[in-house]
Amino acid sequence: MSSDQFREKLNKQFRIFFDKAEQERRWNPYRDVPWDKINPETPEYVAVCAETFLGVESFLPDYISKGLAVLRNSSSAQRSFSANWGYEELKHSIALMEYLTRSGKRSDEQMHDYQQALMKQSWTRPFDTARQMTIYGSFQEMATFVIYLRHEALAKKHGDEALAAVYRFNARDEIAHAHFYEDVVKVYLEIDRPGTLVDIAHVAKNFQMPGVNIVPDYDQRIVLMREEGNMDRDIFLQKVYFPVLKYLGVTRQELVQVAIDARAARKATQTGANAAE
Ligand SMILES: [Fe+2]
Ligand SMILES: [Fe+2]
């Protein structure tokens, strides 16, 4: 596949994605959430979870600037996607913040202090190539989708229809993001299947959620979530990793083979180096 064909395929994916977003997925966090259906009795730990997600979403400036740095020269479709993605992600933090303040769970001052604390840290981009970051995006968006769905159910369980709607709107965006990234990974697989498989194995092995180490008290917050929707290894495999592989048309056997080949190559290099000494 030539680089022109690559760009053409990605442009087509972006047109489909953006057209569908404009037609079916535009929403307004101030107006479309039924704010009169906040349940004042919703327990504090549910609010802490919302605050944690807000923390993760709040690193948007880093995600955009550092993500775009590797994507900007890759294709115009990926640049356009990043711009639109930033707009959609912004609404996720607006909706979560509106919930926390409108419900009275947090004051404006507390929200201000939280944002200040968050911005003392910065997100480090976990991978360095456009292809690896696109694979990472597939897993990360799918994981966020799964978590938000679980918290939509939790909010419903507590009779908080407003919070459930926030998670529902956010989740619908996240799954659309996951599918765009996956569709781009499919194109990468068409161009260079062995190389893309190596990257998928590498990203899956080193994957972690973006809030780790940058959201204050992240570990304690995760303990609180454990019961209700934390992304542990089993859930990651069942609800994220295997479904993404299935969507990509990649088998686990292929990835196992990639790992075996990589190990054999390392061993051969080592043997060569030892023989040369
Ligand atoms: Fe988001
Ligand atoms: Fe997203």
mmCIF file of all heavy atoms in Angstrom, residues 6-21:
data_model
loop_
_atom_site.group_PDB
_atom_site.id
_atom_site.type_symbol
_atom_site.label_atom_id
_atom_site.label_comp_id
_atom_site.label_asym_id
_atom_site.label_seq_id
_atom_site.Cartn_x
_atom_site.Cartn_y
_atom_site.Cartn_z
ATOM 1 N N PHE A 6 -2.638 4.916 1.962
ATOM 2 C CA PHE A 6 -2.770 4.954 3.425
ATOM 3 C C PHE A 6 -3.547 6.195 3.847
ATOM 4 O O PHE A 6 -4.529 6.130 4.586
ATOM 5 C CB PHE A 6 -1.366 4.945 4.055
ATOM 6 C CG PHE A 6 -1.329 5.221 5.543
ATOM 7 C CD1 PHE A 6 -1.799 4.284 6.450
ATOM 8 C CD2 PHE A 6 -0.811 6.423 6.031
ATOM 9 C CE1 PHE A 6 -1.754 4.536 7.824
ATOM 10 C CE2 PHE A 6 -0.773 6.682 7.398
ATOM 11 C CZ PHE A 6 -1.242 5.730 8.293
ATOM 12 N N ARG A 7 -3.117 7.339 3.311
ATOM 13 C CA ARG A 7 -3.784 8.603 3.667
ATOM 14 C C ARG A 7 -5.238 8.606 3.201
ATOM 15 O O ARG A 7 -6.124 9.050 3.917
ATOM 16 C CB ARG A 7 -3.029 9.792 3.057
ATOM 17 C CG ARG A 7 -1.846 10.232 3.916
ATOM 18 C CD ARG A 7 -1.336 11.589 3.474
ATOM 19 N NE ARG A 7 -0.697 11.516 2.188
ATOM 20 C CZ ARG A 7 0.591 11.235 2.016
ATOM 21 N NH1 ARG A 7 1.364 11.022 3.057
ATOM 22 N NH2 ARG A 7 1.119 11.173 0.814
ATOM 23 N N GLU A 8 -5.476 8.070 2.007
ATOM 24 C CA GLU A 8 -6.837 8.041 1.474
ATOM 25 C C GLU A 8 -7.757 7.178 2.343
ATOM 26 O O GLU A 8 -8.877 7.548 2.657
ATOM 27 C CB GLU A 8 -6.800 7.524 0.020
ATOM 28 C CG GLU A 8 -8.114 7.623 -0.729
ATOM 29 C CD GLU A 8 -8.847 8.960 -0.524
ATOM 30 O OE1 GLU A 8 -8.231 10.034 -0.622
ATOM 31 O OE2 GLU A 8 -10.063 8.887 -0.238
ATOM 32 N N LYS A 9 -7.231 6.029 2.768
ATOM 33 C CA LYS A 9 -8.032 5.132 3.624
ATOM 34 C C LYS A 9 -8.357 5.807 4.954
ATOM 35 O O LYS A 9 -9.479 5.721 5.447
ATOM 36 C CB LYS A 9 -7.265 3.833 3.891
ATOM 37 C CG LYS A 9 -7.307 2.885 2.732
ATOM 38 C CD LYS A 9 -7.007 1.463 3.160
ATOM 39 C CE LYS A 9 -7.152 0.573 1.936
ATOM 40 N NZ LYS A 9 -7.766 -0.703 2.214
ATOM 41 N N LEU A 10 -7.364 6.482 5.524
ATOM 42 C CA LEU A 10 -7.597 7.151 6.812
ATOM 43 C C LEU A 10 -8.563 8.328 6.659
ATOM 44 O O LEU A 10 -9.403 8.567 7.529
ATOM 45 C CB LEU A 10 -6.267 7.620 7.417
ATOM 46 C CG LEU A 10 -5.717 6.708 8.515
ATOM 47 C CD1 LEU A 10 -5.603 5.265 8.078
ATOM 48 C CD2 LEU A 10 -4.386 7.220 9.024
ATOM 49 N N ASN A 11 -8.434 9.058 5.553
ATOM 50 C CA ASN A 11 -9.365 10.166 5.317
ATOM 51 C C ASN A 11 -10.796 9.649 5.250
ATOM 52 O O ASN A 11 -11.714 10.272 5.785
ATOM 53 C CB ASN A 11 -9.029 10.886 4.010
ATOM 54 C CG ASN A 11 -7.828 11.797 4.180
ATOM 55 O OD1 ASN A 11 -7.476 12.171 5.292
ATOM 56 N ND2 ASN A 11 -7.174 12.139 3.074
ATOM 57 N N LYS A 12 -10.961 8.503 4.590
ATOM 58 C CA LYS A 12 -12.300 7.922 4.486
ATOM 59 C C LYS A 12 -12.823 7.538 5.880
ATOM 60 O O LYS A 12 -13.969 7.833 6.228
ATOM 61 C CB LYS A 12 -12.226 6.674 3.584
ATOM 62 C CG LYS A 12 -13.577 6.161 3.185
ATOM 63 C CD LYS A 12 -13.439 4.992 2.211
ATOM 64 C CE LYS A 12 -14.681 4.120 2.342
ATOM 65 N NZ LYS A 12 -14.420 2.709 2.202
ATOM 66 N N GLN A 13 -11.944 6.938 6.693
ATOM 67 C CA GLN A 13 -12.359 6.562 8.067
ATOM 68 C C GLN A 13 -12.776 7.801 8.845
ATOM 69 O O GLN A 13 -13.760 7.795 9.576
ATOM 70 C CB GLN A 13 -11.209 5.868 8.819
ATOM 71 C CG GLN A 13 -10.857 4.495 8.321
ATOM 72 C CD GLN A 13 -12.015 3.524 8.430
ATOM 73 O OE1 GLN A 13 -12.986 3.769 9.128
ATOM 74 N NE2 GLN A 13 -11.954 2.425 7.704
ATOM 75 N N PHE A 14 -11.990 8.883 8.704
ATOM 76 C CA PHE A 14 -12.314 10.089 9.457
ATOM 77 C C PHE A 14 -13.640 10.693 8.995
ATOM 78 O O PHE A 14 -14.445 11.141 9.812
ATOM 79 C CB PHE A 14 -11.200 11.141 9.381
ATOM 80 C CG PHE A 14 -11.576 12.396 10.123
ATOM 81 C CD1 PHE A 14 -11.595 12.411 11.512
ATOM 82 C CD2 PHE A 14 -11.987 13.535 9.438
ATOM 83 C CE1 PHE A 14 -12.002 13.543 12.208
ATOM 84 C CE2 PHE A 14 -12.393 14.669 10.134
ATOM 85 C CZ PHE A 14 -12.400 14.676 11.516
ATOM 86 N N ARG A 15 -13.861 10.698 7.668
ATOM 87 C CA ARG A 15 -15.129 11.252 7.160
ATOM 88 C C ARG A 15 -16.325 10.492 7.733
ATOM 89 O O ARG A 15 -17.304 11.093 8.161
ATOM 90 C CB ARG A 15 -15.170 11.190 5.626
ATOM 91 C CG ARG A 15 -14.483 12.363 4.941
ATOM 92 C CD ARG A 15 -14.952 12.525 3.498
ATOM 93 N NE ARG A 15 -14.684 11.346 2.690
ATOM 94 C CZ ARG A 15 -13.529 11.102 2.070
ATOM 95 N NH1 ARG A 15 -12.541 11.968 2.158
ATOM 96 N NH2 ARG A 15 -13.368 10.009 1.356
ATOM 97 N N ILE A 16 -16.214 9.161 7.755
ATOM 98 C CA ILE A 16 -17.301 8.332 8.305
ATOM 99 C C ILE A 16 -17.500 8.653 9.787
ATOM 100 O O ILE A 16 -18.611 8.884 10.257
ATOM 101 C CB ILE A 16 -16.990 6.820 8.115
ATOM 102 C CG1 ILE A 16 -16.976 6.466 6.630
ATOM 103 C CG2 ILE A 16 -17.982 5.950 8.885
ATOM 104 C CD1 ILE A 16 -16.390 5.091 6.319
ATOM 105 N N PHE A 17 -16.379 8.704 10.512
ATOM 106 C CA PHE A 17 -16.430 8.967 11.951
ATOM 107 C C PHE A 17 -17.063 10.330 12.249
ATOM 108 O O PHE A 17 -17.976 10.453 13.064
ATOM 109 C CB PHE A 17 -15.007 8.912 12.540
ATOM 110 C CG PHE A 17 -14.916 9.470 13.933
ATOM 111 C CD1 PHE A 17 -15.202 8.681 15.041
ATOM 112 C CD2 PHE A 17 -14.565 10.804 14.152
ATOM 113 C CE1 PHE A 17 -15.145 9.201 16.333
ATOM 114 C CE2 PHE A 17 -14.512 11.335 15.438
ATOM 115 C CZ PHE A 17 -14.802 10.524 16.521
ATOM 116 N N PHE A 18 -16.581 11.346 11.544
ATOM 117 C CA PHE A 18 -17.012 12.711 11.864
ATOM 118 C C PHE A 18 -18.463 12.949 11.445
ATOM 119 O O PHE A 18 -19.239 13.583 12.170
ATOM 120 C CB PHE A 18 -16.076 13.720 11.177
ATOM 121 C CG PHE A 18 -16.297 15.131 11.645
ATOM 122 C CD1 PHE A 18 -15.945 15.517 12.923
ATOM 123 C CD2 PHE A 18 -16.870 16.080 10.801
ATOM 124 C CE1 PHE A 18 -16.159 16.824 13.362
ATOM 125 C CE2 PHE A 18 -17.080 17.388 11.232
ATOM 126 C CZ PHE A 18 -16.725 17.756 12.523
ATOM 127 N N ASP A 19 -18.835 12.404 10.302
ATOM 128 C CA ASP A 19 -20.218 12.547 9.841
ATOM 129 C C ASP A 19 -21.180 11.917 10.848
ATOM 130 O O ASP A 19 -22.194 12.508 11.228
ATOM 131 C CB ASP A 19 -20.366 11.876 8.461
ATOM 132 C CG ASP A 19 -21.763 12.020 7.905
ATOM 133 O OD1 ASP A 19 -22.298 13.152 7.940
ATOM 134 O OD2 ASP A 19 -22.339 11.015 7.447
ATOM 135 N N LYS A 20 -20.824 10.735 11.312
ATOM 136 C CA LYS A 20 -21.680 10.040 12.284
ATOM 137 C C LYS A 20 -21.742 10.823 13.604
ATOM 138 O O LYS A 20 -22.803 10.944 14.224
ATOM 139 C CB LYS A 20 -21.112 8.639 12.527
ATOM 140 C CG LYS A 20 -22.141 7.676 13.013
ATOM 141 C CD LYS A 20 -21.667 6.235 12.935
ATOM 142 C CE LYS A 20 -22.736 5.348 13.515
ATOM 143 N NZ LYS A 20 -22.268 4.237 14.277
ATOM 144 N N ALA A 21 -20.593 11.365 14.002
ATOM 145 C CA ALA A 21 -20.558 12.150 15.243
ATOM 146 C C ALA A 21 -21.486 13.364 15.137
ATOM 147 O O ALA A 21 -22.255 13.665 16.045
ATOM 148 C CB ALA A 21 -19.129 12.601 15.533
#
